[in-house]
Amino acid sequence: MTNSAENPSSTKPYLLRALYEWCTDNGLTPYLAVHVDSQVRVPREHVKNGEIVLNISFGATTGLKIGHDDVRFKARFGGVARDILVPVSHVTAIYARENGQGMAFPMPESGAGDPAAAGSVEGEDAQTPETAPASHLHAVPDSTQAAAEIPEQASRSVDASKAEGEPPADPPPRPSGGHLKRVK
């Protein structure tokens, strides 16, 4: 029998649930940035440069479950309901659309349990993972300057609840690297 102190479970799903709850409690829109490969089930037509940004707010999803191993929900893309499945290991950030506050995570390691991870994603080149040590937290600058830039850029985001017929736009900016933004 292994001691849980010797082999603790990942903190990532707990952090995802906590930041999702923080966003919803404060009337903010939680966005999930996801590294896409063959393990991720999302509409491939909305994937750009091996990444997709998903609106996971209550109004944009049905049956959202942030589990220990994956994030599952249903969402509408172009008026069509789709089942979404994202392994927790492929979440690269969760943040509030309105102010950019949240947390970024390292990219998943190439080929980690997925032989196709090093290949391309349906005709698009997969991004080369920039892995950073997960155990290091880095200070980030005050978010007041960054927050002033976000509303303009966020208006061009890929939104799971977009109206039918609208072409996909550029995803909103997301925190980069393994940084933790200050949540007040």
Side-chain angles (χ1 to χ4, degrees):
M1 183 174 198
T2 59
N3 183 345
S4 62
E6 293 173 11
N7 191 15
S9 62
S10 171
T11 58
K12 193 171 183 179
Y14 298 95
L15 294 169
L16 293 175
R17 286 189 290 268
L19 287 168
Y20 173 83
E21 185 176 336
W22 174 81
C23 284
T24 57
D25 286 354
N26 287 283
L28 302 171
T29 310
Y31 272 20
L32 209 62
V34 178
H35 172 74
V36 179
D37 65 14
S38 64
Q39 294 179 349
V40 178
R41 188 171 47 203
V42 295
R44 300 293 186 183
E45 62 271 18
H46 294 284
V47 174
K48 188 170 186 177
N49 297 323
E51 183 177 67
I52 189 168
V53 177
L54 301 164
N55 175 347
I56 58 168
S57 67
F58 180 78
T61 63
T62 303
L64 175 67
K65 181 174 180 349
I66 303 174
H68 187 69
D69 297 319
D70 55 42
V71 178
R72 298 170 181 256
F73 59 94
K74 290 184 185 211
R76 293 189 167 276
F77 291 83
V80 178
R82 307 285 285 271
D83 288 320
I84 306 300
L85 173 71
V86 175
V88 167
S89 62
H90 286 62
V91 174
T92 57
I94 183 169
Y95 61 98
R97 177 189 72 192
E98 293 80 1
N99 62 17
Q101 291 184 339
M103 184 176 283
F105 304 98
M107 296 285 283
E109 290 185 25
S110 174
D114 180 18
S120 63
V121 179
E122 293 195 16
E124 295 187 32
D125 293 332
Q127 291 180 341
T128 305
E130 298 171 8
T131 55
S135 61
H136 292 67
L137 295 177
H138 303 280
V140 295
D142 185 24
S143 63
T144 55
Q145 180 184 13
E149 300 169 8
I150 288 177
E152 174 194 333
Q153 294 171 343
S155 66
R156 300 177 300 173
S157 66
V158 173
D159 188 344
S161 62
K162 262 195 182 288
E164 196 167 323
E166 287 186 39
D170 292 334
R174 69 172 184 83
S176 62
H179 301 307
L180 171 65
K181 287 217 175 199
R182 201 174 300 187
V183 178
K184 295 179 183 178

